[in-house]
Amino acid sequence: MKGKVLIGELGIHYEIKGEGPLLLILHGWGSSTESWQKVQQELSSEFKVVILDLPGFGKSETPDQPWTIQNYLSFLERFIQELELEDFYLIGHSFGGSLSVKLATIHPELVRKMALIDSAGIRAKPKLIARIVKNLAEKSECIFMGPLIKLKRGIKKILYKLLRNTDYGKANETMKETMKNVFDYYVPETFLKESYPKNPDNRGNFLKDLEKVDVDTLLVWGEEDKITPLRFGKIFNNKIKNSKLEVISGVGHSPHLNATSPMVQIILNFFE
């Protein structure tokens, strides 16, 4: 069954398949229901599986202003209410994983068990090339202006070319600002070596929410994940009470696409 529901002023696309206990899937940034249909098909033999296109993705409409993680949570609360979902199992991938964490901390009564797949929530240290580009660009502001201005422009072109191939580069302006807002919620990896930083603007609060999770949680991680590396999965495992980490070898950030059946079997074993 495919449908569309109006949440606020946004038309939201969703799909439901199967019978049994409810299971809600939240996709990652830049993804949609389309990339989860194979998983939905396999899980529908045991569950009534609900997948949706989050606002700004797939066939759902885009907000007219940039959103924060709180806006997505408020949307999700209304979506759950509109479709009368309760006492459900929850799967979240990447960005959908961080949103699942937020939902489980605010509404633990709704979630039976939760599976986080290569979840986002921790910001990795800048890659070497990004650090080099940033450093050179900064230095070109304060050293000899002539040839370094040209160098700076050249560096910018390289950086923009790299960005065009990322989720950020492909997004429209509203979703670019939304992505920045979401990243403000994530905790920088450098913070993990310190006590919680003093953040008057509430940046990096994801780690605190991670420690509030009181729902039985399965962590599934691709061993070769370069976007949210396995070391982050180990941090999740350490911070979330009653959590279990399962690693799929030879797989990157998207086990739902590249190791569908093994991932589904791990989830079924945990949920049942």
Side-chain angles (χ1 to χ4, degrees), residues 39-159:
V39 173
Q40 184 187 42
Q41 176 64 36
E42 292 200 23
L43 286 170
S44 65
S45 61
E46 301 289 340
F47 297 93
K48 183 176 182 179
V49 186
V50 181
I51 53 178
L52 72 151
D53 290 334
L54 292 168
F57 305 101
K59 298 176 183 177
S60 291
E61 295 177 352
T62 300
D64 57 4
Q65 294 181 349
W67 274 18
T68 65
I69 194 74
Q70 185 59 48
N71 291 126
Y72 274 104
L73 175 65
S74 298
F75 154 79
L76 198 53
E77 290 171 330
R78 295 184 66 178
F79 177 84
I80 289 168
Q81 184 177 23
E82 185 68 27
L83 268 66
E84 299 181 343
L85 307 179
E86 58 183 16
D87 194 27
F88 52 79
Y89 294 90
L90 179 62
I91 296 175
H93 172 246
S94 197
F95 165 62
S98 61
L99 185 54
S100 297
V101 167
K102 192 72 175 173
L103 179 66
T105 60
I106 302 298
H107 296 289
E109 76 283 357
L110 292 176
V111 183
R112 285 195 187 186
K113 291 184 178 181
M114 176 169 66
L116 304 179
I117 316 298
D118 294 83
S119 180
I122 300 173
R123 299 206 310 265
K125 297 174 184 176
K127 293 182 179 179
L128 178 60
I129 188 168
R131 293 201 299 269
I132 292 172
V133 168
K134 182 175 183 292
N135 289 338
L136 286 174
E138 287 175 349
K139 288 177 182 178
S140 69
E141 293 286 356
C142 57
I143 309 179
F144 305 101
M145 295 298 292
L148 286 176
I149 289 177
K150 293 181 181 179
L151 177 62
K152 182 182 175 183
R153 288 172 182 165
I155 292 168
K156 278 187 174 180
K157 286 182 181 179
I158 294 171
L159 183 58

Side-chain angles (χ1 to χ4, degrees):
M1 169 189 162
K2 297 183 179 181
K4 202 147 193 175
V5 63
L6 192 66
I7 305 295
E9 298 180 351
L10 301 178
I12 302 300
H13 172 79
Y14 68 92
E15 301 180 16
I16 301 176
K17 192 177 186 66
E19 296 293 335
L22 278 170
L23 192 161
L24 176 63
I25 297 177
L26 304 180
H27 65 73
W29 194 274
S31 187
S32 67
T33 56
E34 185 176 351
S35 64
W36 284 88
Q37 287 174 347
K38 191 175 178 182
V39 173
Q40 184 187 42
Q41 176 64 36
E42 292 200 23
L43 286 170
S44 65
S45 61
E46 301 289 340
F47 297 93
K48 183 176 182 179
V49 186
V50 181
I51 53 178
L52 72 151
D53 290 334
L54 292 168
F57 305 101
K59 298 176 183 177
S60 291
E61 295 177 352
T62 300
D64 57 4
Q65 294 181 349
W67 274 18
T68 65
I69 194 74
Q70 185 59 48
N71 291 126
Y72 274 104
L73 175 65
S74 298
F75 154 79
L76 198 53
E77 290 171 330
R78 295 184 66 178
F79 177 84
I80 289 168
Q81 184 177 23
E82 185 68 27
L83 268 66
E84 299 181 343
L85 307 179
E86 58 183 16
D87 194 27
F88 52 79
Y89 294 90
L90 179 62
I91 296 175
H93 172 246
S94 197
F95 165 62
S98 61
L99 185 54
S100 297
V101 167
K102 192 72 175 173
L103 179 66
T105 60
I106 302 298
H107 296 289
E109 76 283 357
L110 292 176
V111 183
R112 285 195 187 186
K113 291 184 178 181
M114 176 169 66
L116 304 179
I117 316 298
D118 294 83
S119 180
I122 300 173
R123 299 206 310 265
K125 297 174 184 176
K127 293 182 179 179
L128 178 60
I129 188 168
R131 293 201 299 269
I132 292 172
V133 168
K134 182 175 183 292
N135 289 338
L136 286 174
E138 287 175 349
K139 288 177 182 178
S140 69
E141 293 286 356
C142 57
I143 309 179
F144 305 101
M145 295 298 292
L148 286 176
I149 289 177
K150 293 181 181 179
L151 177 62
K152 182 182 175 183
R153 288 172 182 165
I155 292 168
K156 278 187 174 180
K157 286 182 181 179
I158 294 171
L159 183 58
Y160 292 157
K161 187 175 182 180
L162 290 171
L163 284 173
R164 279 200 298 272
N165 295 321
T166 67
D167 289 335
Y168 180 83
K170 295 174 184 176
N172 61 34
E173 290 304 315
T174 298
M175 294 309 292
K176 283 180 181 178
E177 290 301 313
T178 297
M179 192 174 189
K180 290 179 185 177
N181 292 340
V182 170
F183 266 53
D184 281 345
Y185 169 59
Y186 295 167
V187 61
E189 187 176 6
T190 51
F191 285 6
L192 301 177
K193 297 180 180 180
E194 311 168 5
S195 58
Y196 288 123
K198 295 179 180 179
N199 283 327
D201 54 359
N202 294 320
R203 294 189 178 190
N205 278 342
F206 178 78
L207 201 62
K208 294 181 181 178
D209 283 339
L210 210 58
E211 293 177 336
K212 294 177 186 175
V213 174
D214 201 28
V215 174
D216 287 349
T217 302
L218 172 67
L219 306 168
V220 182
W221 237 267
E223 186 178 28
E224 307 300 325
D225 192 342
K226 305 299 183 187
I227 298 174
T228 55
L230 178 57
R231 65 180 185 272
F232 293 173
K234 294 176 180 178
I235 293 169
F236 275 61
N237 191 205
N238 182 53
K239 296 295 183 183
I240 298 178
K241 302 183 293 288
N242 303 319
S243 64
K244 177 182 180 182
L245 176 62
E246 295 280 359
V247 180
I248 303 179
S249 61
V251 177
H253 188 62
S254 302
H256 62 294
L257 297 175
N258 302 316
T260 306
S261 294
M263 187 197 77
V264 166
Q265 191 57 55
I266 291 170
I267 290 172
L268 284 173
N269 291 342
F270 182 78
F271 283 171
E272 292 177 355

